[in-house]
Amino acid sequence: MVYNTLIHTELKMTKCIRDGKVAVLYSPGFGAGWSSWNDDRDVPKEFLLHDEKLVEMVENDQRNKIPKYVKSIYPNFYCGGAKDLVVEWVTQGTQFRIEEYDGHESIIFNHDAYWEVA
């Protein structure tokens, strides 16, 4: 297992990488998004998408511990979507974005994107 460490002002975060794939967290349930609903709360996007501790909680079905963990670092964090978090393993270097509709998040990969051309 390989880990990359990103250093933020308040946090030392470890990005989980296994077998050349990076863990990406997103919330496909309807109601509240995860990273998409926290863009303006001074929480680093990398933390919400890749934090190793968050990934472990999801993999071990301990989503109920996520709000306490995140709020201990970012007190103003909105934890909607935590109960629906899943991990998607994405090949390292792949470009993607998280899209949200009515709280339902999905991963859109650059190579999947279809764009209209005028």
Side-chain angles (χ1 to χ4, degrees), residues 52-106:
E52 175 191 16
K53 290 179 186 175
L54 290 172
V55 170
E56 288 175 7
M57 287 181 214
V58 171
E59 289 183 325
N60 294 321
D61 200 23
Q62 298 175 332
R63 289 170 188 82
N64 60 324
K65 294 182 178 181
I66 291 173
K68 183 177 179 180
Y69 167 63
V70 176
K71 285 181 178 268
S72 72
I73 303 163
Y74 300 105
N76 295 326
F77 181 76
Y78 174 69
C79 288
K83 67 179 178 25
D84 295 319
L85 279 174
V86 295
V87 178
E88 176 86 17
W89 292 94
V90 177
T91 303
Q92 208 169 358
T94 302
Q95 292 181 331
F96 72 94
R97 70 176 182 263
I98 302 294
E99 286 193 353
E100 179 266 337
Y101 176 77
D102 199 18
H104 168 80
E105 292 181 329
S106 55

